[in-house]
mmCIF file of all heavy atoms in Angstrom:
data_model
loop_
_atom_site.group_PDB
_atom_site.id
_atom_site.type_symbol
_atom_site.label_atom_id
_atom_site.label_comp_id
_atom_site.label_asym_id
_atom_site.label_seq_id
_atom_site.Cartn_x
_atom_site.Cartn_y
_atom_site.Cartn_z
ATOM 1 N N ALA A 185 -7.177 0.760 20.874
ATOM 2 C CA ALA A 185 -7.706 0.116 19.663
ATOM 3 C C ALA A 185 -9.218 -0.059 19.751
ATOM 4 O O ALA A 185 -9.944 0.221 18.791
ATOM 5 C CB ALA A 185 -7.023 -1.227 19.447
ATOM 6 N N LEU A 186 -9.701 -0.518 20.894
ATOM 7 C CA LEU A 186 -11.150 -0.713 21.062
ATOM 8 C C LEU A 186 -11.903 0.608 20.936
ATOM 9 O O LEU A 186 -12.944 0.683 20.261
ATOM 10 C CB LEU A 186 -11.436 -1.350 22.418
ATOM 11 C CG LEU A 186 -11.061 -2.829 22.573
ATOM 12 C CD1 LEU A 186 -11.233 -3.270 24.018
ATOM 13 C CD2 LEU A 186 -11.892 -3.695 21.637
ATOM 14 N N ALA A 187 -11.374 1.653 21.578
ATOM 15 C CA ALA A 187 -12.037 2.959 21.505
ATOM 16 C C ALA A 187 -12.008 3.507 20.083
ATOM 17 O O ALA A 187 -13.012 4.056 19.587
ATOM 18 C CB ALA A 187 -11.360 3.938 22.461
ATOM 19 N N GLY A 188 -10.870 3.342 19.414
ATOM 20 C CA GLY A 188 -10.748 3.843 18.046
ATOM 21 C C GLY A 188 -11.662 3.125 17.077
ATOM 22 O O GLY A 188 -12.313 3.749 16.230
ATOM 23 N N ILE A 189 -11.752 1.807 17.208
ATOM 24 C CA ILE A 189 -12.624 1.031 16.312
ATOM 25 C C ILE A 189 -14.087 1.358 16.588
ATOM 26 O O ILE A 189 -14.898 1.465 15.651
ATOM 27 C CB ILE A 189 -12.344 -0.475 16.492
ATOM 28 C CG1 ILE A 189 -10.938 -0.804 15.984
ATOM 29 C CG2 ILE A 189 -13.379 -1.315 15.739
ATOM 30 C CD1 ILE A 189 -10.452 -2.182 16.351
ATOM 31 N N ALA A 190 -14.434 1.531 17.863
ATOM 32 C CA ALA A 190 -15.812 1.925 18.194
ATOM 33 C C ALA A 190 -16.154 3.261 17.547
ATOM 34 O O ALA A 190 -17.272 3.460 17.037
ATOM 35 C CB ALA A 190 -15.977 2.004 19.709
ATOM 36 N N PHE A 191 -15.183 4.173 17.513
ATOM 37 C CA PHE A 191 -15.421 5.487 16.909
ATOM 38 C C PHE A 191 -15.616 5.381 15.396
ATOM 39 O O PHE A 191 -16.580 5.925 14.845
ATOM 40 C CB PHE A 191 -14.260 6.430 17.229
ATOM 41 C CG PHE A 191 -14.319 7.723 16.474
ATOM 42 C CD1 PHE A 191 -15.165 8.749 16.889
ATOM 43 C CD2 PHE A 191 -13.551 7.922 15.337
ATOM 44 C CE1 PHE A 191 -15.236 9.947 16.178
ATOM 45 C CE2 PHE A 191 -13.616 9.107 14.625
ATOM 46 C CZ PHE A 191 -14.465 10.118 15.052
ATOM 47 N N VAL A 192 -14.718 4.674 14.706
ATOM 48 C CA VAL A 192 -14.801 4.646 13.232
ATOM 49 C C VAL A 192 -16.022 3.886 12.749
ATOM 50 O O VAL A 192 -16.542 4.159 11.654
ATOM 51 C CB VAL A 192 -13.515 4.055 12.598
ATOM 52 C CG1 VAL A 192 -12.299 4.878 12.969
ATOM 53 C CG2 VAL A 192 -13.326 2.590 12.953
ATOM 54 N N THR A 193 -16.496 2.921 13.554
ATOM 55 C CA THR A 193 -17.643 2.126 13.110
ATOM 56 C C THR A 193 -18.984 2.784 13.424
ATOM 57 O O THR A 193 -20.003 2.434 12.825
ATOM 58 C CB THR A 193 -17.615 0.726 13.756
ATOM 59 O OG1 THR A 193 -17.570 0.861 15.173
ATOM 60 C CG2 THR A 193 -16.410 -0.063 13.278
ATOM 61 N N THR A 194 -19.001 3.728 14.347
ATOM 62 C CA THR A 194 -20.266 4.372 14.708
ATOM 63 C C THR A 194 -20.368 5.802 14.193
ATOM 64 O O THR A 194 -21.396 6.211 13.665
ATOM 65 C CB THR A 194 -20.456 4.386 16.240
ATOM 66 O OG1 THR A 194 -19.323 5.024 16.845
ATOM 67 C CG2 THR A 194 -20.589 2.977 16.774
ATOM 68 N N ILE A 195 -19.304 6.568 14.342
ATOM 69 C CA ILE A 195 -19.326 7.983 13.972
ATOM 70 C C ILE A 195 -18.386 8.287 12.806
ATOM 71 O O ILE A 195 -18.731 9.018 11.880
ATOM 72 C CB ILE A 195 -18.942 8.860 15.187
ATOM 73 C CG1 ILE A 195 -19.925 8.637 16.334
ATOM 74 C CG2 ILE A 195 -18.886 10.338 14.812
ATOM 75 C CD1 ILE A 195 -19.516 9.318 17.639
ATOM 76 N N GLY A 196 -17.203 7.705 12.863
ATOM 77 C CA GLY A 196 -16.153 8.075 11.921
ATOM 78 C C GLY A 196 -16.539 7.979 10.458
ATOM 79 O O GLY A 196 -16.297 8.910 9.672
ATOM 80 N N TRP A 197 -17.160 6.864 10.048
ATOM 81 C CA TRP A 197 -17.471 6.677 8.622
ATOM 82 C C TRP A 197 -18.465 7.716 8.133
ATOM 83 O O TRP A 197 -18.489 8.048 6.932
ATOM 84 C CB TRP A 197 -17.998 5.260 8.361
ATOM 85 C CG TRP A 197 -19.344 4.959 8.964
ATOM 86 C CD1 TRP A 197 -19.595 4.440 10.196
ATOM 87 C CD2 TRP A 197 -20.617 5.156 8.347
ATOM 88 N NE1 TRP A 197 -20.950 4.290 10.389
ATOM 89 C CE2 TRP A 197 -21.608 4.715 9.274
ATOM 90 C CE3 TRP A 197 -21.028 5.642 7.110
ATOM 91 C CZ2 TRP A 197 -22.966 4.770 8.990
ATOM 92 C CZ3 TRP A 197 -22.382 5.702 6.816
ATOM 93 C CH2 TRP A 197 -23.344 5.270 7.757
ATOM 94 N N ARG A 198 -19.278 8.261 9.038
ATOM 95 C CA ARG A 198 -20.240 9.285 8.649
ATOM 96 C C ARG A 198 -19.551 10.612 8.320
ATOM 97 O O ARG A 198 -20.166 11.494 7.712
ATOM 98 C CB ARG A 198 -21.256 9.510 9.773
ATOM 99 C CG ARG A 198 -22.019 8.254 10.176
ATOM 100 C CD ARG A 198 -22.904 8.519 11.380
ATOM 101 N NE ARG A 198 -23.412 7.290 11.964
ATOM 102 C CZ ARG A 198 -24.509 6.649 11.561
ATOM 103 N NH1 ARG A 198 -25.231 7.161 10.574
ATOM 104 N NH2 ARG A 198 -24.899 5.525 12.134
ATOM 105 N N LEU A 199 -18.292 10.769 8.741
ATOM 106 C CA LEU A 199 -17.554 12.000 8.477
ATOM 107 C C LEU A 199 -16.902 12.003 7.101
ATOM 108 O O LEU A 199 -16.369 13.030 6.669
ATOM 109 C CB LEU A 199 -16.481 12.205 9.562
ATOM 110 C CG LEU A 199 -17.003 12.262 11.005
ATOM 111 C CD1 LEU A 199 -15.846 12.397 11.986
ATOM 112 C CD2 LEU A 199 -17.986 13.417 11.170
ATOM 113 N N ILE A 200 -16.910 10.854 6.432
ATOM 114 C CA ILE A 200 -16.425 10.801 5.052
ATOM 115 C C ILE A 200 -17.402 11.598 4.185
ATOM 116 O O ILE A 200 -18.618 11.418 4.306
ATOM 117 C CB ILE A 200 -16.340 9.345 4.559
ATOM 118 C CG1 ILE A 200 -15.378 8.534 5.433
ATOM 119 C CG2 ILE A 200 -15.898 9.278 3.092
ATOM 120 C CD1 ILE A 200 -15.418 7.043 5.166
ATOM 121 N N PRO A 201 -16.927 12.495 3.329
ATOM 122 C CA PRO A 201 -17.849 13.304 2.510
ATOM 123 C C PRO A 201 -18.852 12.441 1.757
ATOM 124 O O PRO A 201 -18.518 11.364 1.244
ATOM 125 C CB PRO A 201 -16.905 14.037 1.547
ATOM 126 C CG PRO A 201 -15.621 14.128 2.288
ATOM 127 C CD PRO A 201 -15.522 12.866 3.096
ATOM 128 N N LYS A 202 -20.080 12.908 1.712
ATOM 129 C CA LYS A 202 -21.152 12.142 1.082
ATOM 130 C C LYS A 202 -20.858 11.851 -0.379
ATOM 131 O O LYS A 202 -21.246 10.804 -0.907
ATOM 132 C CB LYS A 202 -22.473 12.903 1.203
ATOM 133 C CG LYS A 202 -23.681 12.080 0.790
ATOM 134 C CD LYS A 202 -24.981 12.825 1.074
ATOM 135 C CE LYS A 202 -26.186 11.977 0.680
ATOM 136 N NZ LYS A 202 -27.459 12.697 0.960
#
Side-chain angles (χ1 to χ4, degrees):
L186 288 173
I189 293 169
F191 171 79
V192 300
T193 56
T194 56
I195 300 172
W197 68 269
R198 302 174 193 275
L199 302 177
I200 300 170
K202 190 174 181 180

